[in-house]
Amino acid sequence: MKQIFIILVLFLSIQTVQAQPMVVQEQKLNNGEIVRMCVFDTGNYGYCTPEDEYKAVNAYQNSKQQTKLQKFNTGVNNTVNTINNLLDGVRVIGSYFGI
């Protein structure tokens, strides 16, 4: 009985080592943060931590927002340039008539 008890105590006192996910990819984002992708024991591929996933999603949303902002600014600039060209044409025509 003592032997079974000792074996049980030893078994419970030994820390079991959990297999850690294996990092297979690291990507540096535009803002300088690093996102890691891992392969897990189950064979699944994904973000190593929820924080990595949050960083990646946040960077993606920011890039989409930047793209929308750039398109908007380009549209505004094109409109302003068109109006300026039109006004320049009106000034040229006005100068022919002495206005």
Side-chain angles (χ1 to χ4, degrees):
M1 189 67 165
K2 280 186 176 181
Q3 291 174 343
I4 294 174
F5 181 72
I6 290 173
I7 291 173
L8 184 63
V9 169
L10 285 175
F11 180 74
L12 294 176
S13 66
I14 297 174
Q15 292 181 349
T16 57
V17 177
Q18 294 179 343
Q20 297 293 322
M22 183 172 66
V23 177
V24 293
Q25 180 183 7
E26 285 188 356
Q27 181 179 5
K28 189 171 184 178
L29 303 175
N30 291 337
N31 60 6
E33 294 180 313
I34 294 176
V35 174
R36 297 175 303 152
M37 300 296 287
C38 292
V39 173
F40 298 94
D41 296 336
T42 59
N44 292 339
Y45 176 76
Y47 296 103
C48 294
T49 63
E51 183 180 349
D52 288 330
E53 185 175 4
Y54 172 77
K55 289 178 192 176
V57 169
N58 195 23
Y60 175 72
Q61 288 177 340
N62 286 342
S63 70
K64 282 182 70 174
Q65 190 69 19
Q66 284 295 95
T67 302
K68 286 181 182 178
L69 186 61
Q70 287 172 349
K71 285 182 180 178
F72 175 77
N73 287 340
T74 301
V76 169
N77 287 339
N78 289 342
T79 303
V80 168
N81 289 338
T82 302
I83 291 172
N84 284 336
N85 290 338
L86 181 63
L87 291 175
D88 286 342
V90 168
R91 285 186 200 108
V92 168
I93 292 171
S95 67
Y96 283 132
F97 296 110
I99 299 175

